[in-house]
Amino acid sequence: QVQLVESGGGSVQAGGSLRLSCAASGSDYRGRCLAWFRQIPGKGREGVAGIYMAGSTTVYADSVTGRFTISRDDSTNTVYLQMDSLKPEDTGMYYCALRRNSGDFCYIIPQEWDYGYWGQGTQVTVSS
């Protein structure tokens, strides 16, 4: 079983930065993609960025390319999402999730239905 715990959300002014963390534990996560999603009320979860836990492949949604950076620390089993130049439209609940299938599929923009393990989420609010 896999457990994912997010932290690092908060409120920030437009143009500011936040860093989200996702601590992974359990088994079977190293050979999979871990992704960040965000959700606003009334809408589905949008894939923001992904990283292959056993390699260097990363992927970003067009809306965050150049502003967000996904990385991981293997010594602490933690994946980070560094968010810079934040905009009000980045507001939402951010979740980290682990892909159902093992393998390096992390060149694909994350889609909600491909991910089977989810954290509890952390809220990000960006004010103008």
Side-chain angles (χ1 to χ4, degrees):
Q1 193 72 332
V2 175
Q3 292 82 43
L4 302 172
V5 179
E6 303 98 333
S7 61
S11 297
V12 65
Q13 296 254 339
S17 298
L18 284 172
R19 188 177 79 158
L20 306 183
S21 300
C22 174
S25 60
S27 60
D28 297 332
Y29 62 84
R30 293 202 181 276
R32 301 174 193 254
C33 298
L34 191 145
W36 286 96
F37 290 78
R38 65 186 178 196
Q39 185 175 30
I40 59 174
K43 292 203 170 184
R45 293 175 182 176
E46 172 196 11
V48 171
I51 188 167
Y52 183 46
M53 296 299 283
S56 60
T57 306
T58 58
V59 64
Y60 297 91
D62 289 345
S63 58
V64 305
T65 296
R67 300 188 299 121
F68 290 12
T69 303
I70 190 169
S71 63
R72 71 174 195 270
D73 182 342
D74 291 337
S75 66
T76 59
N77 302 327
T78 302
V79 173
Y80 300 100
L81 185 68
Q82 177 67 41
M83 306 186 295
D84 299 318
S85 302
L86 282 161
K87 304 175 181 180
E89 51 264 44
D90 294 318
T91 294
M93 184 69 78
Y94 281 69
Y95 299 89
C96 64
L98 197 67
R99 192 181 171 100
R100 298 178 193 275
N101 296 357
S102 60
D104 187 4
F105 298 98
C106 297
Y107 57 92
I108 301 170
I109 299 291
Q111 301 292 329
E112 182 178 1
W113 50 81
D114 287 328
Y115 286 74
Y117 302 94
W118 294 84
Q120 81 288 353
T122 186
Q123 178 67 36
V124 171
T125 302
V126 184
S127 58
S128 57

